[in-house]
Structure formats: C-alpha cells, structure tokens
Amino acid sequence: MQILYFALALFLLLNLVAGMWRVLRGPTAADRMLAAQLFGTTSVAVLLVLAQAMNRGALRDVALVFALLAAVTAVAFVRRAWPDREAKHDTE
Amino acid sequence: MTVHTVVGRQGLEFTPREYLRSGCLRAVLFALMWWTLTDGVMDSWLVGTPVILFATLASVVLLPPFSWSLLGLVRFVPFFLWRSLYGGVDVARRALQPRLPISPGLLDYRWRLPPGLPQVFMANIVSLLPGTLSVELGANCLQVHVLDERKDFLSELEKVEQRVAAIFGISLPLSRGGE
Amino acid sequence: MTPSDLLSAVLLIAGAAFFLAGTLGLLRFPDVYTRLHALTKADNVGLGLVVAGLAMQAESLAGAGKLLLIWLLVLLAGASVAHLVAAAARQRGIKLWRR
C-alpha cells in the first residue's frame, strides 16, 4: 500500500503542475482564478494521501485548512482583486 | 412525513420552542463535528463544550430555523451521490475524447423554489450535477451554463428542484411542462 | 493484501483517474465556463473516491468521519467557487464559447 500511496501523491502533484499551466497562461483573469479550484481539491487529495502514507494525522488538519482557505481566497478575489473590466481578452 | 407549505413561514415567525428545538439539533451536529475533528480525544471537550455552545448560538442568530424533512434529506443523498458521480464520468468522457464532444449554451430556469436557502442550495447542487453549472442566481431565474445544448436539461432541473423542495418540506406548484 | 486493501486501492486509482480527466478538461476545454465544469465535477468525484479509499483504511470511526467532513467541505467550497467565478466572468463580459 505504501508504494501506491506515494505513487498516487506524486501523480496528483503532477496533475497540479499540469493544471498550473492553464492558470499561468490564462488568458482571462477568470482562468487564473481556477487555481483556487484546482488547489482546493487536488492539494487536499495530496495531503490526505500523504497523511495516510506517512502516518501523520496532522496533515489531515492541514488539508482541512487548505479546503477552507481555497474558498476564502476565491471570494476575496472575485470581490476585491478582480478589475471590473477584462482588458483585452475575450470580451464581448 | 408531513410536508409543510412554505407560504408564510419565511422570516421571524418561529416560536421560541422551534428555536430551542433547532438549537438542540445544531448543538448535536456541532458536537459530532468536534468529535471527528479531534479524533475523539476526551481531553478536548474542555475546550469543545464552550466552542459548541458558542457555535450553536451564532448559527441560530445567523440562520434562523427553517422547515426541513428528514425523509427528503435521506432520499436526496443517494440521488445526489449517484448523479454527481455520473456528472464526473460525463465530463471526464468529454474531456478524454479527441474531438471534444461539447456544445455549450446558456439557459434560464424559472424558479419554483422560494428565495433564500432553498434557491442557494439548489444553485450549488446544480454545479455538481452532470453538464450544468449555475452562473447567475436571479430573482426569477437561475441562469445555467450547460455543456451540451442538445440534451433536455429542463426536465432534469425540474427533477432536481423537486428533490430540493422535498428536503425543505416545500410543495412546488405543478410542473409547467416544456417552456 | 487483504480484500479491503484491494478495494481501497481500486477506489484510490479510480479517484486519480478522475483527477487526470479534470486536468485534461482544464487544459483542453475552450473557455472558462467549460473549464469550470471539468474542474468542479471531475475533481470532486476524484476527491470523493480518494476519500472513500482512505476512509476504508482509517483506524477509527472519528478518523473516517473527518475525511467525510473534509470532502463535504470541499464539495461546498467547490460548488460555491464555481458559481462565483462563473457569475463574475459573466458580469465582466467574458464570452461564451459556442460550437
């Protein structure tokens, strides 16, 4: 099981990295905001798998905090940090 | 299981008894949450008890009691799990196929649910079900982005709305048929 | 490997497959709305399966309950964030991709 856990964690981490390509590339600010969604689920999965693999229960609490923070970050971004008009991409 | 009508049950029309009942229920729920969060360690209840009491107080103040039905909730869980699993399979299938079989569109779904918690709940559920994503929660309509316009989402959404209504113990006006 | 280990492994691998599909959708789908579909649904199912697989290995009922709680929280957060981003994108006039 141990090998499976670590392989799984690595695989999920690669998923996260691949997803970051979209986040960095955009093209709109909304696409960048998908980072919150991506981290909200994938990093939680990675942490949970690692918690099991290394027998560190505390990592589950970290996962819990990540899940909470992802939601808060998204709200903060949509409300505050996102400029009112998209500058040049994809606007109608 | 009785089904209450929602008319006239919005706002502050709840009796102290209803507040007490809902408060007790929520305290039990928070206690259960505390128990799982602390992995059942007994020492933690010294901190846990005041936290639970405070959380209950805050929750009753922020979200007044609302009518709901246990049967509706119990029936909703397997429906939701199954449909959201199918939602994942559906979107995975589309993402994996080389020719990308999607043809997105927007549709407006006219609410039958009353505003407030039931509408917000449904808007959230819709985003997790196959092929639908709630975009705008309007006063009269829920704007839904669909992955495949050719599918009949209206009857699907009506079914979901019916299920959500059952959780909140609301009886909906009859289905309008296609619109 | 016990039968429960095997089932747990199957669930974990199935979960990982959904994460892969979600990432593929994120990279391949043409606009932010369709990407939200992919990410929200596939990743939530993926996490659900991973959580189910791990819960089978949990030492205590409380441990399994915590995993379930985390999944529910992510579900709620995921659905709300998807709606928020979609609503904001629409308000700011980001065009819908149509075939």
Side-chain angles (χ1 to χ4, degrees), chain A residues 4-5 11-12 15 18 21-22 30-31 34 37 41-42 45 52 61 64 67 74-75 82-84 90-92, chain C residues 1 8-9 12 16 19-20 23 26-27 32 35-36 40 43-44 47 57 66 70 74 78 81 84 88 92-93 95:
Chain A
L4 177 71
Y5 289 143
F11 176 79
L12 291 174
N15 260 298
W21 183 81
R22 166 61 67 206
D31 291 296
L34 294 177
Q37 194 79 316
T41 40
T42 316
Q52 185 73 23
D61 298 327
L64 198 67
V75 174
W82 192 349
D84 267 343
D90 282 352
T91 43
E92 276 171 320
Chain C
M1 215 176 191
S8 163
L12 288 172
F19 274 104
L20 178 66
T23 307
L26 182 63
L27 297 180
V32 66
R35 285 174 204 141
L36 271 172
T40 310
D43 278 16
N44 278 331
L47 186 64
Q57 306 281 328
K66 193 181 205 167
I70 292 174
V74 170
V81 169
L84 268 178
R92 285 164 175 81
K95 240 192 290 179

Side-chain angles (χ1 to χ4, degrees), chain A residues 56-58 60-61, chain B residues 32-42 44-45, chain C residues 58-67:
Chain A
R56 296 270 163 81
R60 285 189 198 109
D61 298 327
Chain B
L32 207 63
M33 257 155 104
W34 183 266
W35 175 69
T36 56
L37 285 180
T38 55
D39 301 312
V41 177
M42 277 323 273
S44 72
W45 288 97
Chain C
E59 309 93 38
S60 63
L61 196 61
K66 193 181 205 167
L67 289 170

Side-chain angles (χ1 to χ4, degrees), chain B residues 33 35-40 80-81 84-89 91-92 94-106 123-137 142-143 145-147 149-150, chain C residues 17-18 20-22 24-26 28-34 36-42 44-45 49 60-66 69 71 75-76 78-84 86-88 90-91 96-99:
Chain B
M33 257 155 104
W35 175 69
T36 56
L37 285 180
T38 55
D39 301 312
F80 171 72
L81 287 180
S84 64
L85 181 65
Y86 178 71
V89 172
V91 84
R94 290 172 198 274
L96 289 171
Q97 279 184 38
R99 59 186 185 85
L100 214 61
I102 55 171
S103 73
L106 279 176
N124 274 333
I125 291 297
V126 159
S127 296
L128 297 169
L129 295 182
T132 50
L133 173 74
S134 64
V135 176
E136 205 176 302
L137 208 165
L142 177 68
Q143 194 174 48
H145 181 270
V146 296
L147 260 188
E149 274 185 312
R150 290 159 297 184
Chain C
F18 275 101
L20 178 66
L24 263 176
L26 182 63
R28 291 192 65 207
F29 279 178
D31 68 356
V32 66
Y33 306 102
T34 47
L36 271 172
H37 275 277
L39 205 53
T40 310
K41 290 186 249 290
N44 278 331
V45 172
L49 291 172
S60 63
L61 196 61
K66 193 181 205 167
L69 202 64
W71 183 58
L75 217 59
L76 181 68
S80 317
V81 169
H83 171 68
L84 268 178
R90 186 90 188 122
Q91 269 170 23
L96 196 69
W97 181 88
R98 285 183 197 270
R99 186 169 286 284

